[in-house]
């Protein structure tokens, strides 16, 4: 079951791969909760690079990034050490189930994703050859057919916006995220500015 804007997200603390626990919702900021695929996923890495490049803008807009993968924390540590935001492992996919995030063959079989897959694999292979990245496991925890999802959660725990990906590279761009945040009625976001 998919969550709709206006739904209440129960308060919790998520345990990231490194760093202190992360409150969701965050009483002083909006939370962009992203669900990605598996540790070392070339498609996810391509997307996360765009988030890293504009992380300052995202923070300035009063948004806290939190990224969830269906991999173990131990496995994620090998891939996400240089990311400037919390990364959470959920190998049992409990959060995925709670938020209605699914897996489907269309994640990789949808023709709209093929160009991105080729670009991501080429870039990932180049980075692996230059020893800047490690190759992902052949059989990752949770499989290869995970679909991405994005949630923007207000400081009051209300879901401001949600996007359930139709294929492996179907998520909000940074511009879309910033536009959604600008429209969000969130006293915490306004106080953070």
């Amino acid at each position: 079951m998919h969550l709709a804007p206006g739904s209440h997200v129960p308060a919790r603390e998520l345990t990231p791969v490194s760093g202190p626990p992360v409150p969701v919702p965050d009483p002083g900021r909006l939370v962009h909760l992203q669900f990605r695929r598996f540790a070392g996923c070339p498609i996810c890495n391509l997307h996360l690079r765009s988030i890293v490049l504009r992380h300052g803008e995202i923070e300035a807009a009063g948004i806290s990034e939190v990224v969830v993968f269906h991999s173990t924390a131990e496995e994620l540590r090998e891939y996400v050490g240089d990311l400037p935001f919390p990364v959470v492992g959920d190998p049992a996919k409990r959060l995925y189930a709670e938020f209605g995030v699914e897996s489907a063959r269309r994640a990789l079989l949808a023709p709209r994703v093929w160009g991105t897959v080729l670009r991501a694999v080429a870039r990932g292979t180049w980075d692996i050859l230059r020893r800047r990245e490690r190759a992902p496991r052949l059989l990752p925890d949770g499989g290869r057919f995970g679909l991405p999802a994005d949630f923007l959660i207000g400081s009051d725990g209300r879901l401001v916006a949600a996007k359930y990906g139709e294929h492996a590279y179907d998520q909000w761009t940074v511009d879309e995220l910033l536009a959604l945040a600008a429209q969000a009625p969130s006293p915490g976001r306004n106080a953070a500015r």
Side-chain angles (χ1 to χ4, degrees):
M1 177 166 49
H2 289 181
L3 299 179
S7 300
H8 180 72
V9 175
R12 73 200 65 218
E13 282 193 340
L14 299 178
T15 304
V17 169
S18 63
V22 179
V24 175
D26 184 321
R29 304 174 68 76
L30 294 166
V31 173
H32 177 210
L33 185 63
Q34 295 188 49
F35 286 83
R36 308 307 313 163
R37 295 162 21 98
F38 54 89
C41 166
I43 298 167
C44 302
N45 290 346
L46 195 64
H47 173 64
L48 289 178
R49 282 184 181 105
S50 70
I51 300 294
V52 168
L53 287 173
R54 297 183 65 192
H55 188 250
E57 287 176 72
I58 293 167
E59 281 199 323
I63 304 167
S64 174
E65 282 290 335
V66 180
V67 181
V68 180
F69 282 88
H70 56 72
S71 298
T72 65
E74 180 181 328
E75 188 176 2
L76 283 167
R77 279 187 193 96
E78 299 177 32
Y79 297 95
V80 301
D82 60 341
L83 295 178
F85 40 78
V87 175
V88 176
D90 183 21
K93 292 187 168 183
R94 287 185 181 100
L95 282 171
Y96 286 77
E98 182 181 335
F99 281 82
V101 182
E102 304 168 337
S103 293
R105 291 195 181 279
R106 72 178 183 272
L108 295 175
L109 299 179
R112 294 176 292 171
V113 76
W114 294 347
T116 302
V117 169
L118 291 174
R119 194 172 79 228
V121 169
R123 179 163 184 156
T125 301
W126 178 245
D127 286 342
I128 290 165
L129 291 173
R130 295 185 321 173
R131 297 192 173 161
R132 291 187 176 180
E133 263 184 40
R134 289 182 37 124
R137 291 176 39 188
L138 288 176
L139 299 172
D141 292 329
R144 293 192 172 274
F145 296 111
L147 292 165
D150 292 275
F151 301 92
L152 189 60
I153 303 167
S155 59
D156 62 355
R158 295 283 169 208
L159 187 60
V160 174
K163 178 174 179 64
Y164 290 90
E166 292 295 319
H167 56 74
Y169 200 68
D170 184 20
Q171 68 271 315
W172 289 331
T173 65
V174 173
D175 288 334
E176 289 170 323
L177 173 63
L178 294 174
L180 289 166
Q183 298 170 8
S186 176
R189 180 179 59 86
N190 294 334
R193 285 188 171 175

